[in-house]
Amino acid sequence: MIENLVFVLVLAAAIVMFYKSISRISRMIKSGKPIEIKDHPEERWKLMGKVAIGQSKMLARPLAAIFHIFVYVGFLVVNIEMIEILIDGVAGTHRVLSLTGTIYPVLISVFELFALSVILACVVFLSRRNIIRLKRFWNKEMTLWPRSDANIILITEILLMSAILIMNASDSILQDRNHGHYAAVGSFLVSSGIKPLLSGLSDGSLIFLERFTWWFHIVGVLIFLNYIPFSKHLHVFLAFPNVFYSKLGPKAKMAAISSITNEIRLMLNPSAEVPLQTEGTEIGQFGAKDVHDYTWKNLMDAFTCTECGRCTSSCPANITGKALSPRKIMMDVRDRAEELDSFYRKNPKDQSDGKSLLDKITTEEIWACTTCNACVQECPVNIDPVAVIMELRRYLVLEKAAAPAELNMMFTNIENNGAPWQFSPEDRLKWAHDAGLEVPLMADLFSQGKKPEYLFWVGSSGAFDDRYKKVSVQFVKILNALKIDYAVLGPEETDTADSARRSGNEMLYQMQTLQIIELLKNYEVKKILTCCPHDFNTFKNEYPDFGGNFEVVHHSQFLSKLINEGKINLNSSRFKGKKITYHDPCYLGRGNGEYEAPRHIIRELKDSTFTEMKRNREFSLCCGAGGGQMFKEAEKGNKEVFIERIEDAIETKADIVATACPFCMVMMTDGIKYKNMEETMKNYDIAELVAIAMGL
């Protein structure tokens, strides 16, 4: 009776302590700004089942996935035995489930097999961390505590699983000797291997050992339960809601700041009826300076972080030696939230501790991000570090005017010239005139009462970048040869300011966006063709937030469709014997899930060979130009990102690196020049490959 009472008291104390710890975590998460996430519940349940329960994203690294599944499933299954232990502890019974008869030893044997798998997996993980010392477990942010935390968890799981096996072995020997009322228990599968080691012990010693390991296991589990809220292992609880509430749809889509939209609409049309903020409220701060400026979902991301480092090991900035580590960003947000919570509990009357998140995260880290979403793709629990970084950028740009000088120049050029460079809008068709091409203008056709099927959005790079102007020429030649009904805006076209938005200048982006949408609506545009994945993503995914709904097609998708329809025949042998590799643009591939169209085109090139780089498709490495990097100097590191990427291409021994993005073309071309490979390796856009194969 005393033993049962002690057990009940220990259990009650553990539950109360756990409740207090979870309440603390909940309080910190709820300190974030409110946001409502109620859309597509069925899709969210499926996503949670696939990613959180099914561990689908772990499979990207098969070895780690197998052993993690051992731990994940093993711990779940073994803790079913906790039901029996809890009943025995409260009721004073002993192996109450043995009433199931011959099924019981089978159940326990299954539990033991999983317990053994957990031990094996934990030993492997300890070896990877402490003997092999994988780089991602030893990054600068992995100080003594994070490393110790991981080891404590793994060692604890080994001890808890070992206690079960020893407990079962001891009890099995006792039952064999004494033939008690549940002798049907028999010998359990895995613990039978331990029995010879214990068989020389007396009954008294075995009873002590069985009771000790029983208590060690249950108390250990309860202590471990209360350790979890203070460790990275908190993800065992938060992974499920975090995945459920994670962003659906394209990874590259960014959320708008509605207060800016209202201000700009009034600025453009003072007489317009615009939904303003609630009376008596202010617009408030743009972006995030501290953790309370983030939404509760951003904070949940931080507390869900497993510290596995997959995000950091795939980050192009970190790979090339720069300061940014997506894992550190999330750890800093979590640590700052805990720091603030502790301060407010001790100083309830104070409004601030005089610090901010920017005391932990440097501007060097913030500006190194290419917004490639590799970290988002890699995270096994759907954490979004890019969203956290973007809010910091918005704060620096919109509140502090603290963008790098090169980006400020880009902002000024877009605002004054409608392009990131100092070119006149009147020169937006010069690329066509210089090539002797006749290109239909939307204004001319519309004045004649004609509405072309497609608007070809040339983009700033397509109009002004010396290398990418050649792509615009070749794509127009294809359109003309196939008699596609299209037109361009010419001098009326202006930059979408996607790079400005990814650099934190939401105000400039929305100014451009609302003007462009109005222009396109005036021309009754329905379909848009573009060669730029960044513009493709903007038109397709982000313009609907501002009332701009268009059918948007990337030129690789358009050309692939025409090939499938038999309207394009790539019969030329111009690429005979050539080995071609393809670099996935982040905003087309990982950002929007389009991997097949460009590959289909390359495979259709007669007598050529297609070869993949080692990092491809959703795991492709960024070229290094996204997130505004195209217009600024890269942060200090071991090498430039484009060099790292062109080395992937060189490893394939390809003759041609195919691209489908103006930024990627600049980076790959620069990489080829840097490696002095101009004579043996060429860089062509998908459109150029098609035009050449068509003999245009």
Side-chain angles (χ1 to χ4, degrees):
M1 178 62 85
I2 294 177
E3 187 177 11
N4 301 107
L5 180 60
V6 170
F7 176 82
V8 170
L9 291 174
V10 169
L11 179 62
I15 292 173
V16 170
M17 291 171 61
F18 181 71
Y19 174 78
K20 288 184 176 180
S21 296
I22 290 299
S23 296
R24 170 177 164 271
I25 300 295
S26 177
R27 181 176 66 245
M28 287 187 283
I29 291 174
K30 288 179 179 178
S31 70
K33 295 192 298 186
I35 181 175
E36 191 173 272
I37 305 176
K38 294 183 178 179
D39 60 317
H40 305 95
E42 289 186 10
E43 186 177 349
R44 293 187 178 281
W45 282 111
K46 289 178 181 177
L47 184 67
M48 188 179 76
K50 178 182 177 183
V51 175
I53 298 174
Q55 305 277 291
S56 61
K57 294 180 78 172
M58 293 293 296
L59 298 175
R61 307 189 186 195
L63 180 63
I66 291 170
F67 288 109
H68 188 272
I69 289 172
F70 281 178
V71 175
Y72 169 67
V73 178
F75 210 75
L76 287 176
V77 171
V78 170
N79 277 298
I80 295 175
E81 193 172 1
M82 282 291 293
I83 297 172
E84 181 180 58
I85 293 175
L86 289 172
I87 295 172
D88 287 345
V90 173
T93 54
H94 185 71
R95 292 193 178 270
V96 66
L97 296 184
S98 64
L99 296 173
T100 56
T102 55
I103 297 175
Y104 187 70
V106 176
L107 287 175
I108 298 298
S109 293
V110 170
F111 296 159
E112 288 187 346
L113 282 172
F114 279 105
L116 185 63
S117 73
V118 171
I119 293 172
L120 174 63
C122 289
V123 169
V124 170
F125 287 146
L126 281 168
S127 300
R128 281 158 55 90
R129 287 176 174 273
N130 301 288
I131 299 175
I132 301 174
R133 293 176 66 137
L134 293 181
K135 182 179 181 295
R136 63 189 169 101
F137 298 131
W138 290 82
N139 276 53
K140 62 180 182 180
E141 68 268 20
M142 298 303 287
T143 55
L144 180 61
W145 165 244
R147 295 200 307 271
S148 300
D149 179 35
N151 289 333
I152 289 169
I153 291 167
L154 294 170
I155 292 169
T156 299
E157 290 183 350
I158 290 173
L159 293 175
L160 292 177
M161 296 302 108
S162 298
I164 281 184
L165 297 179
I166 295 171
M167 176 186 74
N168 286 346
S170 303
D171 201 35
S172 183
I173 295 172
L174 285 168
Q175 301 314 314
D176 288 344
R177 287 180 182 177
N178 300 308
H179 302 288
H181 69 282
Y182 56 98
V185 170
S187 295
F188 306 133
L189 186 59
V190 178
S191 59
S192 292
I194 303 174
K195 288 169 67 175
L197 301 175
L198 308 178
S199 58
L201 297 177
S202 66
D203 283 4
S205 298
L206 287 170
I207 291 171
F208 172 81
L209 186 60
E210 189 275 338
R211 287 288 83 196
F212 174 81
T213 49
W214 186 92
W215 276 99
F216 181 89
H217 180 77
I218 186 59
V219 173
V221 167
L222 294 176
I223 291 173
F224 188 51
L225 181 69
N226 280 280
Y227 174 76
I228 284 175
F230 300 92
S231 82
K232 79 183 193 74
H233 222 51
L234 183 61
H235 73 270
V236 300
F237 298 116
L238 289 183
F240 304 99
N242 199 67
V243 172
F244 182 85
Y245 290 114
S246 59
K247 183 171 75 174
L248 301 179
K251 291 181 178 64
K253 180 181 178 180
M254 273 185 65
I257 301 179
S258 59
S259 57
I260 287 182
T261 311
N262 295 337
E263 288 293 308
I264 294 173
R265 280 179 173 157
L266 282 174
M267 187 189 309
L268 296 176
N269 185 5
S271 63
E273 292 186 8
V274 177
L276 297 174
Q277 287 73 33
T278 305
E279 186 177 352
T281 63
E282 298 180 357
I283 290 175
Q285 174 186 287
F286 297 130
K289 177 185 179 182
D290 213 342
V291 291
H292 53 253
D293 299 321
Y294 287 104
T295 68
W296 62 262
K297 178 57 176 69
N298 295 134
L299 299 186
M300 182 182 282
D301 272 356
F303 282 95
T304 308
C305 180
T306 71
E307 297 180 11
C308 65
R310 289 179 175 227
C311 56
T312 294
S313 67
S314 65
C315 172
N318 193 271
I319 287 171
T320 53
K322 298 170 181 61
L324 175 62
S325 166
R327 172 175 55 191
K328 177 183 177 294
I329 296 292
M330 303 316 298
M331 292 170 69
D332 286 342
V333 171
R334 180 198 63 205
D335 292 348
R336 175 59 182 158
E338 291 179 337
E339 182 179 70
L340 266 179
D341 183 71
S342 177
F343 173 80
Y344 288 139
R345 281 190 290 114
K346 294 176 182 177
N347 307 277
K349 295 182 180 180
D350 289 346
Q351 298 296 312
S352 172
D353 65 350
K355 301 175 185 177
S356 78
L357 187 58
L358 291 169
D359 293 318
K360 291 181 176 292
I361 302 174
T362 66
T363 55
E364 187 178 0
E365 294 171 83
I366 295 168
W367 292 113
C369 178
T370 68
T371 68
C372 70
N373 281 289
C375 54
V376 181
Q377 173 65 43
E378 283 280 0
C379 181
V381 289
N382 283 11
I383 292 169
D384 189 353
V386 175
V388 173
I389 293 170
M390 286 311 308
E391 290 305 310
L392 291 169
R393 286 187 177 183
R394 282 171 165 173
Y395 174 78
L396 291 176
V397 171
L398 299 176
E399 295 288 339
K400 306 297 289 184
E406 305 100 317
L407 292 182
N408 283 328
M409 181 66 72
M410 183 255 287
F411 300 156
T412 301
N413 286 334
I414 291 175
E415 189 171 353
N416 295 336
N417 308 317
W421 308 283
Q422 290 183 346
F423 290 106
S424 169
E426 299 302 317
D427 291 334
R428 274 197 172 264
L429 262 184
K430 191 173 184 297
W431 61 272
H433 297 152
D434 290 348
L437 288 174
E438 291 293 330
V439 182
L441 271 175
M442 183 66 77
D444 293 343
L445 295 181
F446 201 75
S447 66
Q448 299 168 24
K450 298 178 181 178
K451 298 177 185 177
E453 183 179 3
Y454 293 99
L455 167 67
F456 171 36
W457 186 269
V458 180
S460 294
S461 293
F464 297 122
D465 180 78
D466 287 340
R467 178 63 184 90
Y468 214 71
K469 285 190 289 186
K470 297 177 182 178
V471 177
S472 299
V473 168
Q474 295 294 69
F475 187 57
V476 163
K477 285 182 178 180
I478 295 171
L479 297 178
N480 290 343
L482 298 176
K483 294 182 170 49
I484 303 297
D485 184 19
Y486 78 100
V488 300
L489 289 171
E492 290 186 283
E493 187 177 297
T494 186
D495 196 84
T496 61
D498 164 82
S499 291
R501 185 181 214 193
R502 266 69 191 176
S503 301
N505 198 333
E506 181 75 8
M507 182 74 73
L508 177 56
Y509 168 80
Q510 292 199 26
M511 287 273 294
Q512 294 292 106
T513 293
L514 294 174
Q515 292 180 73
I516 291 171
I517 289 174
E518 184 179 2
L519 177 65
L520 298 187
K521 284 184 175 179
N522 287 340
Y523 281 129
E524 299 179 30
V525 171
K526 303 296 182 186
K527 299 179 181 179
I528 299 174
L529 276 175
T530 178
C531 298
C532 177
H534 297 265
D535 290 339
F536 169 77
N537 177 72
T538 293
F539 288 132
K540 184 175 186 291
N541 301 320
E542 297 177 351
Y543 271 30
D545 290 344
F546 304 94
N549 295 284
F550 310 99
E551 182 182 331
V552 190
V553 184
H554 186 257
H555 76 315
S556 65
Q557 297 172 326
F558 185 71
L559 295 172
S560 177
K561 181 174 178 288
L562 292 175
I563 291 171
N564 280 333
E565 293 173 350
K567 296 177 181 178
I568 292 180
N569 295 308
L570 305 180
N571 294 324
S572 171
S573 296
R574 290 285 300 275
F575 299 106
K576 183 177 182 179
K578 298 295 184 182
K579 182 184 285 189
I580 305 174
T581 192
Y582 172 66
H583 164 75
D584 285 282
C586 298
Y587 276 67
L588 182 64
R590 191 160 42 240
N592 279 282
E594 181 56 80
Y595 302 106
E596 288 304 323
R599 287 173 170 80
H600 171 240
I601 293 170
I602 296 171
R603 291 191 179 101
E604 290 294 313
L605 296 173
K606 187 178 179 182
D607 299 327
S608 67
T609 304
F610 175 64
T611 182
E612 290 278 17
M613 297 189 213
K614 63 183 179 183
R615 290 178 277 203
N616 61 76
R617 294 181 177 265
E618 62 265 39
F619 303 110
S620 178
L621 184 70
C622 178
C623 73
Q629 303 298 327
M630 176 77 173
F631 304 99
K632 59 182 275 295
E633 289 294 322
E635 276 63 37
K636 183 180 178 182
N638 299 329
K639 65 168 78 167
E640 298 283 4
V641 176
F642 74 86
I643 296 174
E644 176 80 12
R645 186 52 171 164
I646 202 63
E647 288 173 353
D648 286 352
I650 292 170
E651 279 185 25
T652 68
K653 302 188 185 308
D655 304 294
I656 295 171
V657 181
T659 51
C661 168
F663 292 176
C664 295
M665 172 156 276
V666 170
M667 296 293 106
M668 293 300 97
T669 299
D670 285 352
I672 290 170
K673 290 178 181 177
Y674 182 87
K675 291 291 186 177
N676 298 314
M677 299 285 290
E678 296 101 316
E679 298 300 319
T680 57
M681 179 177 281
K682 304 296 180 185
N683 179 203
Y684 290 115
D685 186 87
I686 291 294
E688 292 178 308
L689 295 177
V690 172
I692 292 170
M694 290 175 66
L696 299 177

